[in-house]
Amino acid sequence: QALSVKIAVGVAMADGALADSEGKTIKRWIIKSIEAYEDEESERLKDLYNDAFRDAYAKAKTGKLTLEELCDRLSDIGGRKEKADTIGLCFDVMTADSVIDAEETRMINKIADWLGVDKQILEAIRDGAIAGKKFEIDDAPNTLEDLLGIDPEWSKEQIMEHLRREFAKWNA
């Protein structure tokens, strides 16, 4: 879970800054993660996660945070649940400031690939994170395509089929 915190900080810093809402989202996740533990273990985990947060933030500011390495380590020691939880946290961080940032979206897609998260699971996590919320979408090229999981190499027919499935899912 300390790796999840570091990865989430990397996503938050993808646009060059850690918004207060993004930091608070990670903090809430940490609190929720440790609430089931007793006093001593809770304090140990709190220190561990806070250290992970500070370390990741410092490295991200200097460009030395390597998400691929963190994902490799998480893949080695984590199971499907930990990987899905990490992606969920990343989407929560992305949506915390009510702005869908192209770089954050691309980064989450890369993280999912590095962790080996199935595309359907990624879609389900994404859909849960954005359902019922209002966002501002930055005007960078392909932001919507990245968010919707559209591969730029797809044919027009593949894109249309994907959009039909998305429309049917959201309007069911």
Side-chain angles (χ1 to χ4, degrees), residues 65-129:
L65 185 68
T66 52
L67 289 176
E68 189 170 6
E69 286 179 18
L70 294 172
C71 291
D72 286 345
R73 286 180 34 211
L74 182 57
S75 285
D76 289 343
I77 63 173
R80 290 159 96 187
K81 182 186 181 324
E82 289 79 16
K83 294 172 187 178
D85 287 348
T86 300
I87 296 296
L89 174 58
C90 290
F91 274 116
D92 289 343
V93 167
M94 180 187 77
T95 60
D97 59 2
S98 298
V99 176
I100 302 295
D101 179 78
E103 194 55 39
E104 290 173 343
T105 303
R106 284 187 203 104
M107 191 171 286
I108 292 172
N109 289 334
K110 282 183 190 175
I111 290 167
D113 283 341
W114 291 329
L115 293 176
V117 173
D118 182 74
K119 294 285 185 196
Q120 289 179 327
I121 293 171
L122 177 64
E123 278 186 30
I125 296 168
R126 179 203 66 211
D127 293 349

Side-chain angles (χ1 to χ4, degrees), residues 31 34 36 45 54 56 60 62 64 85 97 106 109 122 124-125 133 153 168-169:
I31 291 168
I34 63 175
L45 291 172
R54 283 189 288 274
T62 61
K64 295 181 181 175
D85 287 348
D97 59 2
R106 284 187 203 104
N109 289 334
L122 177 64
I125 296 168
K133 297 178 183 173
E153 301 203 5
K169 177 174 48 178

